[in-house]
Amino acid sequence: MSTTADVVIIGCGGAGSAAAAELARRGRTVVGLDAFGRGHDRGSSHGTERIVRAAYTDEMYSLMALDSFDGWRDLERETDTRLLSMVGSIDTGFARELADISTNLTTCGLPHELMDAAEAERRFPFFRFEHPVLWQPNSGTVHADGAVAAFQRVARANGADLRFDDPVIAIDVRAGGVRVTSTSGVVEAGSVIVTAGAWADRLLDGILALPELIVTDEQVFFFRPRAEYPWPTFITRTVPELYGLPTPGGLMKAGEHYTGPRVDPDVRTAPSVEAAERVSSWIAANVPGLEPTPVDATTCLYASFPDEDFIIDRVGDVVVGVGLGGHGFKFLPEIGRRLADLADGESWRGNPFSIDRESRHVGPSGHK
Ligand SMILES: Cc1cc2nc3c(=O)[nH]c(=O)nc-3n(C[C@H](O)[C@H](O)[C@H](O)COP(=O)(O)OP(=O)(O)OC[C@H]3O[C@@H](n4cnc5c(N)ncnc54)[C@H](O)[C@@H]3O)c2cc1C
């Protein structure tokens, strides 16, 4: 089969689906190709909730999260689907980081409170705190599977042709366009967007030189609450970093940030007993509102660059949106819009996510 399109997208996880939705809304002809089935669990965008928050130590991400909140609400309206649960968030840990987050939230005009550990335990008796706490009510979760499906519904409703179980075999960059070969045939397009997550470096080998893409298999565990508390999301800004968030079925999902083993994305590891024990003993010591034995576990890939910042850029007719790591989901509406702009040929002045190391954004690390 041979098809022509304005844009061909390789990888219809979160980023590719967001870009497909935005381009299709603009009336572009779009073909999206994914190696696995719709809603598969082999990449980074599957499962229940992801944390959405503007509480970053890096102002650029706080502002981008603020824009993304609008994008999520627009997507909810457009698809008549509830995706966000604004349950609030707790950050606890190093006082310096909490102060930086507070400054950025003030810049964003978002209310928040800093409190000492004793006051925080009075407010949130289902936690124990060793460090000060920053509470931020305008944070919460977005449903991951629901969000990706919603982007795909918008894309299809506006004419996009999304094909699953259809791995791309070759990208051929030619004068004035690209030719992409997948198992179902060939797509000729004006530009290609590569949003292939943990597989992006293989696909772009010989086409674009990316920094080293670090792929880790991260583990998350599910804990049963002892009672129906109003659970917020939480992040410990200590070493190691842990996070948790409520899920619609009532279980709390919790995991360590960035401790998973490096893997080949095609060769996954089973949930590790050691990681379960570490998270479980942390929960036992710090979250008395949860039963400390996990009732379920899953794994998910982080695909990150060493500086933990994304690459969202265009070189010739190749647009890339990769390296979203362990914190990219919340920004998907904005990432989709930026990828669509780049595919449309718009330049991004001062692009913080440039592939060019010299002009890349440099900010504090440790994002979640
Ligand atoms: C455990 C975990 C917790 C997280 N928590 C949060 C959080 O709380 N908040 C937050 O904001 N973010 C969070 N994230 C990060 C976020 O989920 C990811 O950054 C985001 O989902 C990455 O999306 P993606 O589209 O880049 O990758 P993916 O969803 O993996 O999409 C890439 C797609 O490319 C396809 N592909 C690969 N090779 C080919 C090929 N040859 N041909 C065709 N298709 C191909 C794959 O099949 C896949 O569908 C978390 C991630 C994990 C793993």
Side-chain angles (χ1 to χ4, degrees):
M1 178 170 54
S2 180
T3 320
T4 57
D6 293 325
V7 184
V8 55
I9 298 175
I10 306 177
C12 298
S17 299
E22 180 59 18
L23 282 162
R25 280 186 197 111
R26 296 180 187 181
R28 309 290 176 263
T29 51
V30 176
V31 175
L33 303 167
D34 201 283
F36 303 114
R38 185 197 306 274
H40 71 86
D41 62 1
R42 306 278 298 270
S44 307
S45 301
H46 57 280
T48 60
E49 318 297 286
R50 298 289 190 277
I51 297 173
V52 289
R53 60 210 300 270
Y56 268 73
T57 51
D58 186 328
E59 184 189 66
M60 178 198 66
Y61 282 113
S62 295
L63 294 168
M64 189 169 163
L66 203 57
D67 290 337
S68 299
F69 282 138
D70 291 338
W72 286 122
R73 291 194 188 95
D74 289 345
L75 184 66
E76 286 188 318
R77 273 191 294 273
E78 194 176 8
T79 56
D80 197 18
T81 311
R82 182 165 172 231
L83 299 169
L84 296 172
S85 300
M86 301 308 272
V87 293
S89 70
I90 282 173
D91 282 80
T92 182
F94 302 130
R96 176 64 210 271
E97 293 195 13
L98 300 192
D100 290 345
I101 293 171
S102 171
T103 303
N104 295 336
L105 290 172
T106 302
T107 304
C108 291
L110 290 173
H112 57 281
E113 289 171 62
L114 274 167
M115 58 191 93
D116 64 22
E119 168 61 12
E121 284 187 14
R122 273 192 293 279
R123 293 271 296 276
F124 308 102
F126 33 96
F127 286 105
R128 292 280 169 272
F129 297 106
E130 281 177 37
H131 301 278
V133 165
L134 185 146
W135 161 248
Q136 213 270 297
N138 299 91
S139 299
T141 60
V142 61
H143 194 276
D145 283 340
V148 174
F151 282 127
Q152 291 175 2
R153 281 207 300 285
V154 171
R156 281 183 191 272
N158 289 282
D161 174 7
L162 304 185
R163 304 178 194 164
F164 293 89
D165 292 309
D166 193 7
V168 167
I169 300 156
I171 306 172
D172 185 9
V173 183
R174 308 166 150 212
V178 292
R179 180 185 162 94
V180 169
T181 307
S182 72
T183 49
S184 73
V186 168
V187 184
E188 312 254 9
S191 61
V192 60
I193 297 180
V194 179
T195 40
W199 294 264
D201 50 353
R202 313 180 169 179
L203 270 161
L204 288 167
D205 191 27
I207 299 171
L208 256 183
L210 293 175
E212 181 189 18
L213 189 65
I214 300 164
V215 178
T216 55
D217 206 358
E218 302 290 337
Q219 327 231 335
V220 289
F221 304 94
F222 294 84
F223 296 90
R224 198 179 300 290
R226 294 186 198 271
E228 278 195 27
Y229 300 114
W231 290 100
T233 71
F234 65 85
I235 293 182
T236 65
R237 296 197 161 265
T238 51
V239 179
E241 216 171 308
L242 281 104
Y243 64 93
L245 56 159
T247 66
L251 298 177
M252 280 292 278
K253 168 177 159 180
E256 293 172 323
H257 182 47
Y258 246 128
T259 57
R262 281 186 81 157
V263 291
D264 174 330
D266 291 326
V267 185
R268 303 288 292 271
T269 52
S272 113
V273 175
E274 295 76 27
E277 283 172 358
R278 282 197 306 271
V279 177
S280 178
S281 56
W282 187 87
I283 294 284
N286 296 283
V287 196
L290 293 175
E291 301 279 356
T293 306
V295 294
D296 203 357
T298 186
T299 63
C300 176
L301 296 176
Y302 281 7
S304 330
F305 294 114
D307 62 6
E308 287 182 57
D309 290 320
F310 315 144
I311 286 182
I312 301 175
D313 206 353
R314 177 171 180 148
V315 179
D317 293 323
V318 181
V319 177
V320 280
V322 291
L324 308 193
H327 73 123
F329 206 96
K330 63 181 73 60
F331 305 109
L332 287 179
E334 271 302 290
I335 290 171
R337 187 174 71 78
R338 290 298 188 174
L339 289 169
D341 286 349
L342 291 166
D344 270 349
E346 288 179 33
S347 59
W348 183 354
R349 190 188 288 262
N351 177 1
F353 303 123
S354 166
I355 200 166
D356 171 11
R357 278 168 193 249
E358 297 303 307
S359 56
R360 249 168 108 61
H361 166 80
V362 179
S365 60
H367 310 311
K368 181 64 192 170

